[in-house]
Amino acid sequence: MSKTPLAAPLRQRRKEARPQELLDAALELFVEKGFSATRSDEVAERAGVSKGTLYLYYPSKEELLKAVIQQNLGQIIAQGSGIVDEFQGPTAELLSMLMNLWWDRVGNTPAGGIHKIMMSEVRNFPEIAQFYRDEIIQPATDLLGRTLQRGIDRGEFRALPVVEVTQALFAPLIFMALHKHSFGACPAEGLAMNCDGVIATHIDLMLNGLLKQQDAAPKGKKNS
Amino acid sequence: MSKTPLAAPLRQRRKEARPQELLDAALELFVEKGFSATRSDEVAERAGVSKGTLYLYYPSKEELLKAVIQQNLGQIIAQGSGIVDEFQGPTAELLSMLMNLWWDRVGNTPAGGIHKIMMSEVRNFPEIAQFYRDEIIQPATDLLGRTLQRGIDRGEFRALPVVEVTQALFAPLIFMALHKHSFGACPAEGLAMNCDGVIATHIDLMLNGLLKQQDAAPKGKKNS
Amino acid sequence: MSKTPLAAPLRQRRKEARPQELLDAALELFVEKGFSATRSDEVAERAGVSKGTLYLYYPSKEELLKAVIQQNLGQIIAQGSGIVDEFQGPTAELLSMLMNLWWDRVGNTPAGGIHKIMMSEVRNFPEIAQFYRDEIIQPATDLLGRTLQRGIDRGEFRALPVVEVTQALFAPLIFMALHKHSFGACPAEGLAMNCDGVIATHIDLMLNGLLKQQDAAPKGKKNS
Amino acid sequence: MSKTPLAAPLRQRRKEARPQELLDAALELFVEKGFSATRSDEVAERAGVSKGTLYLYYPSKEELLKAVIQQNLGQIIAQGSGIVDEFQGPTAELLSMLMNLWWDRVGNTPAGGIHKIMMSEVRNFPEIAQFYRDEIIQPATDLLGRTLQRGIDRGEFRALPVVEVTQALFAPLIFMALHKHSFGACPAEGLAMNCDGVIATHIDLMLNGLLKQQDAAPKGKKNS
DNA sequence: AATGAATGAGATTTCATTCAT
DNA sequence: GATGAATGAAATCTCATTCAT
């Protein structure tokens, strides 16, 4: 007991922090340069360790990417799922919460670049494509579909086709995230977009369009 | 037709066709696998020539990509520019023509994958980013802006902010093109989208939204 | 026609010679240092080409080893098979021919080191083990078995168990070959063996032992 | 038994047993996979300690191999030497004892794989080759030579060349041991040998051949 | 003009060894 | 003594580009 002081020994503390440091470094670099174009050494270097250490924690670059995806997107989905299960109020409010959650916690953070990575590399790494579909796309689609169905079942929303609306809801959000991490991140001028503004407008319009006429908020009152 | 005289000897014709064959092969492969992940040999092989021949026509892979961009997108913009200059009718019709032209000639063809290439690689190849901005993005934005301004100036459109509307108009078209060439091209299920339907709806809604109230088509009648 | 002079162009000539040069270099090094311990660059360097060139001819180190085996042992077996099929005289003479052929063309040449390579690496490279068994061990065993059976069928040899005799016949030859390429190749003293003498004696004794008593050559007359 | 007192505390006993456990693990693995191909971690893991602990007992993998050799073969030679010094009966019996001792205690045990290790790696590790020659090959050869000379001096054996006979005596035993630990250990069929049978026959024949005619056992009576 | 053999820098991954705890 | 996290040299294999023919 006298050997283990209250403050964990330095080596120990670093070991526990390593996976997170590596995942953060990997996410940054994968988003910035792409998965293939990022060298293992770079990830290690940015995390402040040597090349070999990276392989102590993740057996290959592909597994590292999977861990990055799971860590950054998997958790958000789980969290969203919890919200949907417990929410009691009107579905429009719930949907707004989900979309804003995504934009705050994913679209507006480095995690929002993951879809760019996938879009670029999905055709060259089938195993990762499978993983992304099974662990992220499918659960996220299910979650949104469940929410829309809730609105329809409760008589709040028009009986629109669930799948198409799901795609229409998130396509512009994802497009903006893609843009932010590609052209939007280029120092060149003439490529910028007012992402937050576009997103806010989009969410407002979409929610309004979903509601049955009598429930629709009077135009001009809602949103900023 | 007048460009390829029937009388030219076969060898001659093939030699003149070389650059086009190389550009077509390069476009296909760059879209399919990405720019970095495509090997020079593959391009040459698909074009039916040897690796060395490729370098007779294009001094490097980067220059080849520039030529692909110019060939496939530069010409469309020039063509659109001609249409705008000569068009006489209502601006909504003109805008619809432009968007449908883009979807038919770009979004729905391999050329639509170029934006995916750029999105993936733009941060790793600054020189190409510059080229893309100067030769494609800027002219295209100018062209659309000019068209919108025409509608506003002629009293057809509401006086909306030109830049934001430009982005809003084309974002979903580009997003669908991105999708078609990444997830949409994966054999996996659960990743498909009804692109044409979404695009048609989007164009219809957008044009309707732009028009001043008195011109707007009565709600509920339009759309497929 | 005037383009292809009688003497093949230098580049062409070298290209045709490359595979053999690479196989020779690989055989030498694999025998000398073992398969795993030989670096690809070393093989290339000894063949006088660059690392990359090696991979132009053989897609991996394992495939290179397979080619070395096939080239050096497969051909000998085919040749031995031809001899057995056409031979007309007494089986003892045929067997002697086969054993001496092996010793001259394999045991006493670098090819004799291949069994050492296999012995060392067989448990770590199952695919190569399979290849060696199918392409070399099995055909060689069959060939010898066929020869022994011929002697028994013609009433020349005693009806001994074919398989055990096959092994007994070749074990010392192979052992000597193993020794030559391991301890026998060490500069250290005290590890040498008079291989040729042991082999000659062995062949003589074995053949004598196989013959039926009345056929046995009077001792002291035969062989050197 | 007298070496491991029952009273020693468990921790103490394990600590004292460490080197032996490490040597056993190393022997198994070196034989199974070869010296170079065996990772230090594997040895430590099989011995039930950590990688670091291995290096507390042996300063490098090479030194560990030397200890394995000394432990497993050096002791046998010392024991054989004791037998030869004290033996009183006929030399044929002594020689038979020695060969059967070797086969039982070495050839038929993991220690028999050491020669395979040496054969594979001897040319890459000159220092170990030297060690093996000085500590094993030379003493073993001397011991056998001394025994043969005893038989000749006492008029039991024919005056054959001592060195060649020594090699002829042990070559097949060693070959069988090599086989058992390489091809013989492969799961593949068609590579097996009836080692014990071949060895028994070999010993019988050899001893018979060494004896002067009048002492030779009548043919057909001997052996099992 | 056309070829394709050749190159070598560079990427991922492994592993003997060290050393702070 | 014991641990196992960390290191970095080294090995296999790839590919854009060159250049003799």
Side-chain angles (χ1 to χ4, degrees):
Chain A
M1 276 184 204
S2 58
K3 280 179 188 171
T4 34
L6 268 157
L10 185 66
R11 186 74 79 93
Q12 187 74 12
R13 244 197 349 259
R14 299 203 65 189
K15 193 221 156 173
E16 280 162 12
R18 278 288 140 74
Q20 188 59 54
E21 290 165 3
L22 286 165
L23 291 176
D24 290 347
L27 175 60
E28 275 181 41
L29 283 162
F30 290 166
V31 171
E32 186 179 322
K33 319 183 54 161
F35 174 66
S36 294
T38 299
R39 281 176 292 113
S40 305
D41 327 27
E42 284 178 293
V43 176
E45 193 186 25
R46 186 165 300 193
V49 299
S50 79
K51 210 179 350 173
T53 301
L54 171 59
Y55 284 88
L56 238 46
Y57 291 90
Y58 301 98
S60 71
K61 222 172 80 169
E62 284 203 25
E63 289 301 317
L64 175 60
L65 175 53
K66 284 188 191 170
V68 165
I69 293 169
Q70 188 59 263
Q71 160 86 11
N72 286 283
L73 298 185
Q75 291 183 0
I76 294 283
I77 290 170
Q79 190 176 347
S81 193
I83 291 175
V84 170
D85 288 342
E86 294 176 12
F87 192 81
Q88 303 288 346
T91 310
E93 199 178 311
L94 171 58
L95 204 49
S96 173
M97 267 180 75
L98 290 178
M99 294 177 81
N100 281 298
L101 174 71
W102 189 91
W103 184 248
D104 289 346
R105 299 279 304 278
V106 180
N108 237 344
T109 71
I114 291 177
H115 202 79
K116 176 198 153 194
I117 305 170
M118 296 312 299
M119 188 164 269
S120 308
E121 317 270 9
V122 81
R123 293 179 78 171
N124 296 325
F125 297 88
E127 196 192 320
I128 290 178
Q130 170 93 26
F131 176 85
Y132 189 63
R133 191 180 61 241
D134 294 348
E135 302 292 325
I136 307 300
I137 297 288
Q138 204 52 252
T141 305
D142 290 350
L143 182 61
L144 278 173
R146 202 148 42 97
T147 306
L148 285 170
Q149 194 63 51
R150 176 190 193 268
I152 295 168
D153 290 347
R154 290 168 51 133
E156 297 169 295
F157 289 169
R158 290 191 279 147
L160 295 163
V162 168
V163 174
E164 281 71 13
V165 174
T166 298
Q167 289 165 0
L169 277 170
F170 266 75
L173 273 76
I174 295 170
F175 180 78
M176 285 297 146
L178 290 174
H179 183 85
K180 280 174 73 106
H181 297 288
S182 53
F183 299 103
C186 276
E189 302 154 26
L191 294 172
M193 284 191 191
N194 174 18
C195 292
D196 288 335
V198 176
I199 295 303
T201 307
H202 167 70
I203 294 178
D204 178 50
L205 287 170
M206 276 301 188
L207 290 177
N208 213 41
L210 281 171
L211 294 177
K212 286 187 171 175
Q213 286 307 83
Q214 69 267 28
D215 299 340
K219 291 230 170 180
K221 278 195 174 179
K222 234 186 163 178
N223 204 1
S224 64
Chain B
M1 276 182 205
S2 58
K3 280 179 189 172
T4 35
L6 278 162
L10 186 68
R11 178 81 69 91
Q12 185 74 13
R13 266 221 308 280
R14 289 220 60 195
K15 186 153 58 173
E16 280 168 8
R18 280 286 148 74
Q20 186 59 53
E21 288 165 356
L22 285 165
L23 292 176
D24 290 346
L27 174 60
E28 274 180 43
L29 284 162
F30 289 167
V31 171
E32 187 178 321
K33 319 181 53 159
F35 172 66
S36 294
T38 298
R39 282 177 290 115
S40 306
D41 322 31
E42 284 178 293
V43 176
E45 191 188 26
R46 188 168 297 195
V49 300
S50 77
K51 212 181 343 179
T53 303
L54 171 60
Y55 282 87
L56 285 178
Y57 290 92
Y58 302 97
S60 72
K61 224 170 77 166
E62 283 202 29
E63 289 302 318
L64 175 60
L65 176 54
K66 284 189 193 169
V68 165
I69 294 169
Q70 188 58 264
Q71 161 85 10
N72 286 282
L73 298 185
Q75 292 183 2
I76 294 282
I77 290 169
Q79 190 175 348
S81 194
I83 291 174
V84 170
D85 288 343
E86 294 175 13
F87 192 81
Q88 302 290 345
T91 310
E93 198 178 313
L94 171 58
L95 202 48
S96 174
M97 266 180 75
L98 290 179
M99 293 176 82
N100 281 299
L101 175 70
W102 188 91
W103 184 246
D104 289 345
R105 300 280 303 278
V106 180
N108 238 343
T109 71
I114 291 177
H115 203 79
K116 177 198 152 195
I117 304 171
M118 296 312 299
M119 187 164 271
S120 307
E121 317 270 11
V122 82
R123 293 179 77 174
N124 296 325
F125 298 90
E127 194 191 323
I128 291 179
Q130 171 92 26
F131 175 85
Y132 189 64
R133 191 182 59 242
D134 294 347
E135 302 293 324
I136 308 300
I137 298 287
Q138 204 52 254
T141 306
D142 290 351
L143 181 62
L144 277 174
R146 199 146 47 94
T147 306
L148 284 170
Q149 195 61 53
R150 176 189 193 270
I152 295 167
D153 291 348
R154 291 169 50 135
E156 296 168 295
F157 290 169
R158 291 191 278 147
L160 295 163
V162 168
V163 174
E164 280 72 13
V165 174
T166 298
Q167 289 165 359
L169 276 170
F170 265 75
L173 273 76
I174 295 171
F175 180 79
M176 285 297 146
L178 290 174
H179 183 86
K180 279 172 73 106
H181 297 288
S182 53
F183 298 103
C186 275
E189 303 154 25
L191 294 172
M193 283 193 192
N194 173 19
C195 291
D196 288 336
V198 176
I199 295 303
T201 307
H202 166 72
I203 293 179
D204 179 52
L205 286 169
M206 277 301 192
L207 290 177
N208 213 40
L210 280 171
L211 294 176
K212 287 188 169 172
Q213 285 308 85
Q214 69 268 28
D215 299 339
K219 290 229 171 179
K221 279 196 178 179
K222 241 189 162 175
N223 201 358
S224 62
Chain C
M1 277 181 202
S2 58
K3 280 178 188 172
T4 34
L6 268 158
L10 186 65
R11 186 74 78 93
Q12 187 75 12
R13 243 199 347 262
R14 298 202 66 189
K15 193 222 157 172
E16 279 163 12
R18 280 287 140 76
Q20 188 59 54
E21 290 165 2
L22 287 164
L23 291 176
D24 290 347
L27 174 60
E28 276 180 41
L29 283 162
F30 290 166
V31 171
E32 186 178 321
K33 319 183 54 161
F35 173 66
S36 294
T38 299
R39 281 175 293 113
S40 305
D41 327 26
E42 284 178 292
V43 176
E45 191 185 26
R46 185 165 302 191
V49 298
S50 79
K51 207 180 355 170
T53 301
L54 170 60
Y55 285 88
L56 239 45
Y57 292 91
Y58 301 98
S60 71
K61 223 173 79 169
E62 284 204 26
E63 288 302 318
L64 175 60
L65 175 54
K66 284 189 192 171
V68 165
I69 293 169
Q70 189 59 263
Q71 160 86 10
N72 286 282
L73 298 185
Q75 292 183 0
I76 294 282
I77 290 170
Q79 189 175 351
S81 192
I83 292 176
V84 170
D85 287 343
E86 293 176 13
F87 193 80
Q88 303 287 349
T91 310
E93 199 178 312
L94 172 58
L95 204 48
S96 172
M97 267 179 74
L98 290 179
M99 296 176 80
N100 281 298
L101 174 71
W102 190 92
W103 184 248
D104 290 345
R105 299 280 302 279
V106 180
N108 237 343
T109 72
I114 291 176
H115 202 79
K116 177 200 152 193
I117 304 171
M118 296 312 299
M119 188 164 269
S120 307
E121 317 270 9
V122 82
R123 293 180 76 173
N124 295 327
F125 297 89
E127 195 192 321
I128 291 179
Q130 170 94 24
F131 176 85
Y132 189 63
R133 190 181 62 242
D134 293 347
E135 302 292 324
I136 307 299
I137 297 286
Q138 203 53 253
T141 306
D142 290 349
L143 182 62
L144 278 172
R146 201 148 43 97
T147 307
L148 285 170
Q149 195 60 51
R150 178 191 193 269
I152 294 169
D153 290 346
R154 290 168 51 134
E156 296 168 296
F157 289 170
R158 291 191 278 147
L160 294 164
V162 168
V163 173
E164 282 72 14
V165 174
T166 298
Q167 289 165 0
L169 276 170
F170 266 74
L173 273 76
I174 294 169
F175 180 79
M176 285 296 145
L178 290 173
H179 183 87
K180 281 174 71 108
H181 296 289
S182 53
F183 300 101
C186 278
E189 302 154 26
L191 294 172
M193 283 193 192
N194 173 19
C195 292
D196 287 337
V198 175
I199 295 303
T201 308
H202 167 70
I203 294 178
D204 179 51
L205 286 169
M206 277 301 190
L207 290 177
N208 214 40
L210 280 171
L211 294 176
K212 286 188 172 175
Q213 285 308 85
Q214 69 267 26
D215 298 339
K219 292 229 170 179
K221 277 195 175 178
K222 230 183 167 179
N223 207 354
S224 65
Chain D
M1 276 180 202
S2 59
K3 280 178 188 171
T4 36
L6 278 162
L10 187 67
R11 178 80 72 88
Q12 185 75 11
R13 265 221 307 280
R14 287 219 60 193
K15 185 153 59 174
E16 279 168 9
R18 280 285 150 73
Q20 186 60 52
E21 288 166 0
L22 285 165
L23 291 176
D24 290 347
L27 174 60
E28 274 180 43
L29 284 162
F30 290 167
V31 171
E32 188 178 319
K33 320 181 52 160
F35 173 66
S36 295
T38 298
R39 283 177 290 116
S40 305
D41 323 31
E42 285 179 292
V43 176
E45 191 187 27
R46 188 168 298 196
V49 299
S50 77
K51 212 182 342 179
T53 304
L54 171 60
Y55 282 87
L56 286 178
Y57 290 92
Y58 302 98
S60 71
K61 224 171 76 165
E62 284 203 28
E63 288 303 316
L64 175 61
L65 175 53
K66 284 188 191 170
V68 165
I69 294 169
Q70 187 58 265
Q71 161 84 11
N72 286 282
L73 297 184
Q75 291 182 1
I76 294 281
I77 290 170
Q79 189 176 350
S81 194
I83 291 174
V84 169
D85 288 343
E86 293 175 13
F87 192 80
Q88 302 290 344
T91 309
E93 200 178 310
L94 171 57
L95 203 49
S96 173
M97 268 179 73
L98 290 178
M99 295 176 80
N100 280 298
L101 175 71
W102 188 91
W103 185 246
D104 290 345
R105 299 281 302 279
V106 179
N108 239 342
T109 73
I114 290 177
H115 202 78
K116 177 200 152 193
I117 304 170
M118 297 311 300
M119 188 164 270
S120 306
E121 316 271 11
V122 82
R123 293 179 77 173
N124 295 326
F125 298 89
E127 194 191 323
I128 291 179
Q130 171 92 24
F131 176 85
Y132 188 64
R133 191 181 62 241
D134 293 349
E135 302 292 325
I136 307 299
I137 297 287
Q138 204 51 254
T141 306
D142 290 350
L143 180 63
L144 276 172
R146 201 146 45 95
T147 306
L148 284 170
Q149 195 60 51
R150 178 190 192 269
I152 294 168
D153 290 348
R154 290 169 50 136
E156 296 168 294
F157 290 169
R158 291 192 277 147
L160 295 163
V162 168
V163 174
E164 281 73 14
V165 174
T166 298
Q167 290 165 358
L169 277 171
F170 265 76
L173 274 76
I174 294 170
F175 180 79
M176 285 297 145
L178 290 174
H179 183 86
K180 280 172 74 108
H181 297 288
S182 54
F183 299 102
C186 276
E189 302 155 26
L191 295 171
M193 283 192 192
N194 172 18
C195 291
D196 288 336
V198 176
I199 296 303
T201 307
H202 166 71
I203 294 178
D204 178 53
L205 287 169
M206 276 304 191
L207 290 176
N208 211 40
L210 280 171
L211 294 176
K212 285 188 171 174
Q213 284 308 85
Q214 68 268 26
D215 298 339
K219 292 228 169 176
K221 278 195 177 178
K222 237 186 163 177
N223 201 4
S224 63

